[in-house]
Amino acid sequence: MMTTQDNILLKTAIKMRHEKEFKASNRILKKLDAKYPLNANIQYQYAWSFDILGQEREAVPHYYAAIDNNGLESVDLENAYLGLGSTLRSIGSYDESLDILSKGTELFPTNNALKVFKGMTLYNLKLLVY
């Protein structure tokens, strides 16, 4: 269970991200990650912060932890699948990306962004040709 102070820190980190203070936000999330490594929301926010900083490889384990730790709200879980799938695609892990995006489209069949990234991954794998 997070303390009130740490909840405030998490909200501050998210606010800083919205204000484009990406590095400062990431530093706060790093501290929260050290204290709460099993907190799915912190893992999700931390992964997102790495993506924004262009550090996709660092984002991957945190996206997995966010998904695996069963604690995200539905919309955040949906976005975690999208973030992980698109990040894996961007670093060239196409098979892994396809697995995640396929699972995401099963769980969230109305999410068109998941379908688009899945299509792009299929194209990268040369399984979809235009």
Side-chain angles (χ1 to χ4, degrees), residues 11-29:
K11 288 178 184 175
T12 300
I14 294 167
K15 182 177 185 261
M16 292 174 94
R17 182 178 62 231
H18 290 297
E19 295 170 350
K20 301 190 185 322
E21 296 179 43
F22 304 133
K23 288 181 181 179
S25 175
N26 183 270
R27 284 191 296 272
I28 292 171
L29 291 164

Side-chain angles (χ1 to χ4, degrees), residues 5-74:
Q5 183 176 348
D6 288 337
N7 271 313
I8 291 169
L9 275 176
L10 179 57
K11 288 178 184 175
T12 300
I14 294 167
K15 182 177 185 261
M16 292 174 94
R17 182 178 62 231
H18 290 297
E19 295 170 350
K20 301 190 185 322
E21 296 179 43
F22 304 133
K23 288 181 181 179
S25 175
N26 183 270
R27 284 191 296 272
I28 292 171
L29 291 164
K30 180 179 181 178
K31 291 176 185 174
L32 291 172
D33 173 57
K35 284 179 84 171
Y36 306 99
L38 300 178
N39 183 299
N41 191 36
I42 290 171
Q43 293 301 315
Y44 170 60
Q45 299 299 334
Y46 199 25
W48 190 350
S49 77
F50 280 120
D51 261 348
I52 286 175
L53 291 170
Q55 299 173 354
E56 289 88 357
R57 291 189 189 282
E58 288 84 351
V60 170
H62 298 286
Y63 276 126
Y64 272 117
I67 291 168
D68 293 343
N69 288 337
N70 299 321
L72 291 178
E73 301 283 328
S74 181

Side-chain angles (χ1 to χ4, degrees), residues 111-123:
N111 185 311
N112 289 329
L114 284 164
K115 293 174 188 175
V116 167
F117 277 94
K118 183 179 176 182
M120 293 184 337
T121 301
L122 288 166
Y123 179 79

